[in-house]
Amino acid sequence: MFRYIFILMLMTLTKTNCTGHKKVLKNGKAIKLITGNFIISKIDSTNSYYLIYGLKNKNSYKIISKKELSAETEEKLEIGKNYLLSLKNFRQQDDNPLTGYSSSDPCFFLDKNTQICTEENVFGPYITEDLVGLYYVKK
C-alpha cells in the first residue's frame, strides 16, 4: 500500500500540465521547468555569457548560456528557428549573501564582471541544459 502511495505522489510531483510547466525535485525542493518549442528571436552576449531570447505562446524568455565550445556535430542556434527546450528559472535558486545574489533584486552578478538584469515584458532569466554556448544539444 505504501509503495502505491509513494508512486502516486511521485507521479503528481513530476506531472507535466498542458501549459508545458513541469515540476521536478532537486534536494527535496520542487523546481519548476518550462518546456516546449521556443522560437529564437534574438542572440546577444555580455562578457562570458550569451543572452538568448526565445518566444513561446507570444511570451518572451531570456536564457543565459555560458560561452563554451561544443562538438562540431551539434546544431548552432539560428534566429527564427524552433528548438525544444526545458528552462529552469535562474532566480529560483536560494539567496546567497556571499555572492550578493538576492531573488528580490532586479539585477545580479553572474561573475565578478557580468551583471544581468530582468527586463520588462521578458520572463527570466532562465538556464537550460539543452544549450552549450550557442549550440543546441539534441537529447
Side-chain angles (χ1 to χ4, degrees):
M1 178 73 166
F2 178 76
R3 183 177 1 181
Y4 296 113
I5 293 172
F6 177 75
I7 292 171
L8 182 60
M9 286 176 34
L10 186 60
M11 288 173 52
T12 303
L13 289 173
T14 60
K15 182 180 177 185
T16 302
N17 67 26
C18 61
T19 61
H21 293 232
K22 182 178 184 180
K23 290 186 179 180
V24 295
L25 290 179
K26 183 174 181 179
N27 298 332
K29 294 174 85 175
I31 304 291
K32 183 176 169 184
L33 299 178
I34 298 176
T35 59
N37 285 310
F38 291 81
I39 299 171
I40 303 303
S41 61
K42 178 181 171 185
I43 299 173
D44 202 351
S45 70
T46 180
N47 296 330
S48 300
Y49 298 90
Y50 291 110
L51 303 175
I52 301 158
Y53 294 81
L55 296 173
K56 179 183 177 206
N57 299 331
K58 298 181 182 179
N59 293 316
S60 183
Y61 296 83
K62 180 193 271 188
I63 306 162
I64 301 169
S65 182
K66 187 159 178 63
K67 289 183 180 178
E68 297 179 47
L69 295 177
S70 182
E72 292 180 15
T73 59
E74 303 298 342
E75 179 182 355
K76 189 170 183 177
L77 289 180
E78 293 181 38
I79 293 176
K81 209 167 172 191
N82 280 308
Y83 297 92
L84 179 62
L85 301 174
S86 182
L87 306 181
K88 175 184 161 191
N89 193 326
F90 185 85
R91 297 178 74 80
Q92 193 169 345
Q93 301 179 38
D94 293 329
D95 288 353
N96 186 342
L98 297 177
T99 63
Y101 175 77
S102 170
S103 58
S104 62
D105 290 337
C107 297
F108 59 93
F109 284 90
L110 293 173
D111 59 30
K112 66 180 182 175
N113 299 315
T114 310
Q115 185 179 35
I116 299 292
C117 296
T118 57
E119 299 176 45
E120 192 171 327
N121 300 320
V122 178
F123 293 104
Y126 288 88
I127 54 176
T128 182
E129 294 179 4
D130 301 318
L131 300 177
V132 175
L134 284 181
Y135 291 87
Y136 178 65
V137 181
K138 296 179 183 176
K139 294 181 182 181

